[in-house]
mmCIF file of all heavy atoms in Angstrom:
data_model
loop_
_atom_site.group_PDB
_atom_site.id
_atom_site.type_symbol
_atom_site.label_atom_id
_atom_site.label_comp_id
_atom_site.label_asym_id
_atom_site.label_seq_id
_atom_site.Cartn_x
_atom_site.Cartn_y
_atom_site.Cartn_z
ATOM 1 N N HIS V 767 202.852 271.277 72.718
ATOM 2 C CA HIS V 767 204.048 271.752 72.003
ATOM 3 C C HIS V 767 203.846 273.203 71.596
ATOM 4 O O HIS V 767 202.731 273.686 71.553
ATOM 5 C CB HIS V 767 204.261 270.948 70.706
ATOM 6 C CG HIS V 767 204.219 269.485 70.917
ATOM 7 N ND1 HIS V 767 205.290 268.804 71.441
ATOM 8 C CD2 HIS V 767 203.243 268.574 70.696
ATOM 9 C CE1 HIS V 767 204.956 267.524 71.519
ATOM 10 N NE2 HIS V 767 203.724 267.352 71.087
ATOM 11 N N LYS V 768 204.949 273.841 71.229
ATOM 12 C CA LYS V 768 204.853 275.202 70.699
ATOM 13 C C LYS V 768 204.214 275.174 69.315
ATOM 14 O O LYS V 768 204.473 274.255 68.527
ATOM 15 C CB LYS V 768 206.257 275.799 70.563
ATOM 16 C CG LYS V 768 206.911 276.115 71.876
ATOM 17 C CD LYS V 768 208.182 276.883 71.606
ATOM 18 C CE LYS V 768 209.346 276.252 72.314
ATOM 19 N NZ LYS V 768 210.627 276.796 71.963
ATOM 20 N N GLN V 769 203.427 276.168 69.036
ATOM 21 C CA GLN V 769 202.806 276.304 67.715
ATOM 22 C C GLN V 769 202.866 277.778 67.290
ATOM 23 O O GLN V 769 202.863 278.666 68.134
ATOM 24 C CB GLN V 769 201.310 275.921 67.781
ATOM 25 C CG GLN V 769 201.034 274.444 68.037
ATOM 26 C CD GLN V 769 199.584 274.175 68.430
ATOM 27 O OE1 GLN V 769 199.336 273.421 69.359
ATOM 28 N NE2 GLN V 769 198.632 274.791 67.743
ATOM 29 N N GLY V 770 202.816 277.996 65.981
ATOM 30 C CA GLY V 770 202.697 279.364 65.461
ATOM 31 C C GLY V 770 203.980 280.154 65.563
ATOM 32 O O GLY V 770 204.960 279.724 66.183
ATOM 33 N N CYS V 771 203.973 281.313 64.936
ATOM 34 C CA CYS V 771 205.210 282.115 64.957
ATOM 35 C C CYS V 771 204.942 283.598 65.228
ATOM 36 O O CYS V 771 205.843 284.413 65.112
ATOM 37 C CB CYS V 771 205.991 281.931 63.660
ATOM 38 S SG CYS V 771 205.000 282.228 62.216
ATOM 39 N N GLY V 772 203.729 283.955 65.614
ATOM 40 C CA GLY V 772 203.457 285.360 65.936
ATOM 41 C C GLY V 772 203.553 285.585 67.443
ATOM 42 O O GLY V 772 203.992 284.718 68.192
ATOM 43 N N GLY V 773 203.136 286.772 67.869
ATOM 44 C CA GLY V 773 203.058 287.080 69.300
ATOM 45 C C GLY V 773 204.415 287.096 69.972
ATOM 46 O O GLY V 773 205.450 287.288 69.340
ATOM 47 N N ASP V 777 202.958 283.003 74.133
ATOM 48 C CA ASP V 777 201.912 282.894 73.102
ATOM 49 C C ASP V 777 201.927 281.572 72.321
ATOM 50 O O ASP V 777 200.857 281.067 71.974
ATOM 51 C CB ASP V 777 201.999 284.075 72.120
ATOM 52 C CG ASP V 777 201.385 285.347 72.680
ATOM 53 O OD1 ASP V 777 200.680 285.268 73.709
ATOM 54 O OD2 ASP V 777 201.597 286.419 72.084
ATOM 55 N N PRO V 778 203.113 280.983 72.034
ATOM 56 C CA PRO V 778 203.109 279.732 71.255
ATOM 57 C C PRO V 778 202.505 278.534 71.993
ATOM 58 O O PRO V 778 202.252 277.501 71.369
ATOM 59 C CB PRO V 778 204.604 279.485 70.970
ATOM 60 C CG PRO V 778 205.234 280.829 71.066
ATOM 61 C CD PRO V 778 204.488 281.531 72.170
ATOM 62 N N ILE V 779 202.273 278.620 73.310
ATOM 63 C CA ILE V 779 201.748 277.441 74.021
ATOM 64 C C ILE V 779 200.436 277.743 74.734
ATOM 65 O O ILE V 779 199.981 276.949 75.555
ATOM 66 C CB ILE V 779 202.792 276.854 75.019
ATOM 67 C CG1 ILE V 779 203.215 277.888 76.069
ATOM 68 C CG2 ILE V 779 203.998 276.300 74.282
ATOM 69 C CD1 ILE V 779 204.021 277.284 77.226
ATOM 70 N N VAL V 788 196.604 278.711 68.992
ATOM 71 C CA VAL V 788 197.291 279.405 70.093
ATOM 72 C C VAL V 788 197.429 280.893 69.759
ATOM 73 O O VAL V 788 197.291 281.290 68.599
ATOM 74 C CB VAL V 788 198.693 278.797 70.355
ATOM 75 C CG1 VAL V 788 198.577 277.362 70.828
ATOM 76 C CG2 VAL V 788 199.584 278.912 69.121
ATOM 77 N N PHE V 789 197.720 281.687 70.783
ATOM 78 C CA PHE V 789 197.864 283.138 70.576
ATOM 79 C C PHE V 789 198.913 283.466 69.498
ATOM 80 O O PHE V 789 198.789 284.473 68.807
ATOM 81 C CB PHE V 789 198.224 283.840 71.886
ATOM 82 C CG PHE V 789 197.039 284.371 72.647
ATOM 83 C CD1 PHE V 789 197.159 284.698 74.002
ATOM 84 C CD2 PHE V 789 195.811 284.578 72.034
ATOM 85 C CE1 PHE V 789 196.080 285.205 74.719
ATOM 86 C CE2 PHE V 789 194.725 285.093 72.733
ATOM 87 C CZ PHE V 789 194.857 285.403 74.081
ATOM 88 N N ALA V 790 199.951 282.633 69.385
ATOM 89 C CA ALA V 790 200.987 282.902 68.376
ATOM 90 C C ALA V 790 200.456 282.734 66.959
ATOM 91 O O ALA V 790 201.127 283.098 65.993
ATOM 92 C CB ALA V 790 202.189 281.987 68.604
ATOM 93 N N GLU V 791 199.249 282.164 66.830
ATOM 94 C CA GLU V 791 198.631 282.017 65.501
ATOM 95 C C GLU V 791 197.537 283.065 65.275
ATOM 96 O O GLU V 791 196.882 283.052 64.237
ATOM 97 C CB GLU V 791 198.062 280.597 65.346
ATOM 98 C CG GLU V 791 199.151 279.527 65.374
ATOM 99 C CD GLU V 791 198.602 278.118 65.524
ATOM 100 O OE1 GLU V 791 197.846 277.879 66.504
ATOM 101 O OE2 GLU V 791 198.919 277.268 64.700
ATOM 102 N N PHE V 792 197.332 283.942 66.239
ATOM 103 C CA PHE V 792 196.366 285.035 66.087
ATOM 104 C C PHE V 792 197.068 286.221 65.425
ATOM 105 O O PHE V 792 198.265 286.414 65.594
ATOM 106 C CB PHE V 792 195.881 285.520 67.466
ATOM 107 C CG PHE V 792 194.822 284.667 68.109
ATOM 108 C CD1 PHE V 792 195.014 283.318 68.336
ATOM 109 C CD2 PHE V 792 193.631 285.233 68.529
ATOM 110 C CE1 PHE V 792 194.053 282.541 68.958
ATOM 111 C CE2 PHE V 792 192.651 284.474 69.153
ATOM 112 C CZ PHE V 792 192.862 283.127 69.365
#
Side-chain angles (χ1 to χ4, degrees):
H767 310 282
K768 289 189 232 171
Q769 292 166 225
C771 53
D777 281 347
I779 59 169
V788 296
F789 266 162
E791 296 168 305
F792 280 56

